[in-house]
Amino acid sequence: MSRTILFFGGTGGLGSQTISHLQESYSIQSVGSSVVDLNDTNQIQAYFRQNEQAEVLILFSNYNYNSFIHKYASAQQELKHQLDVNISGITTCIAECLPHMRRNGFGRIIIASSVTVDRNEIGRAHV
């Protein structure tokens, strides 16, 4: 049985390799930031209303800005953008797809992030 997968993000090396591998067996709908802005709850909700058939949600989307906080052009705006994408956007995607998955009796959610999350790097104390 072919599953329908919504794949958010994945424009980098790992994501494009994952999509390439999955496309051999599954119907993949790659969702880039040009399709859905993860800062915009209304866009996310509208997207999931139009894509209720999705059985698997893979989230590789994230946003990061490495810099000393005193060098941020706008520290509060930059921090808000990171939280909006990485926390609010991802949480909204999950909240929007779960009702459809429950109604259909099947669903999988896979969330992946960069390996840099586990590494101490200069300018990354807030994540």
Side-chain angles (χ1 to χ4, degrees):
M1 173 190 284
S2 179
R3 299 280 182 204
T4 301
I5 299 174
L6 297 181
F7 198 108
F8 281 74
T11 57
L14 180 61
S16 53
Q17 289 294 318
T18 303
I19 289 172
S20 190
H21 177 73
L22 290 172
Q23 281 178 329
E24 296 172 8
S25 304
Y26 302 98
S27 171
I28 305 280
Q29 184 171 342
S30 184
V31 183
S33 58
S34 60
V35 177
V36 177
D37 179 359
L38 290 182
N39 284 310
D40 188 334
T41 301
N42 292 328
Q43 275 191 35
I44 296 170
Q45 290 170 337
Y47 181 80
F48 280 97
R49 276 194 301 274
Q50 295 172 1
N51 293 282
E52 293 183 2
Q53 81 286 359
E55 299 167 293
V56 179
L57 173 65
I58 300 177
L59 295 160
F60 272 32
S61 284
N62 64 60
Y63 174 76
N64 189 31
Y65 183 80
N66 290 336
S67 178
F68 287 114
I69 199 146
H70 68 281
K71 292 184 179 181
Y72 274 26
S74 170
Q76 292 303 314
Q77 182 180 5
E78 198 56 59
L79 180 59
K80 182 180 178 335
H81 183 64
Q82 289 179 64
L83 293 172
D84 286 347
V85 170
N86 298 335
I87 305 296
S88 299
I90 299 301
T91 302
T92 302
C93 286
I94 294 167
E96 290 299 316
C97 76
L98 277 175
H100 309 298
M101 290 178 174
R102 291 184 64 145
R103 222 178 0 261
N104 296 333
F106 179 87
R108 300 290 184 266
I109 298 171
I110 300 166
I111 304 170
S113 66
S114 171
V115 67
T116 60
V117 170
D118 292 332
R119 294 184 186 157
N120 292 326
E121 293 190 27
I122 294 172
R124 305 254 348 260
H126 58 280
V127 270

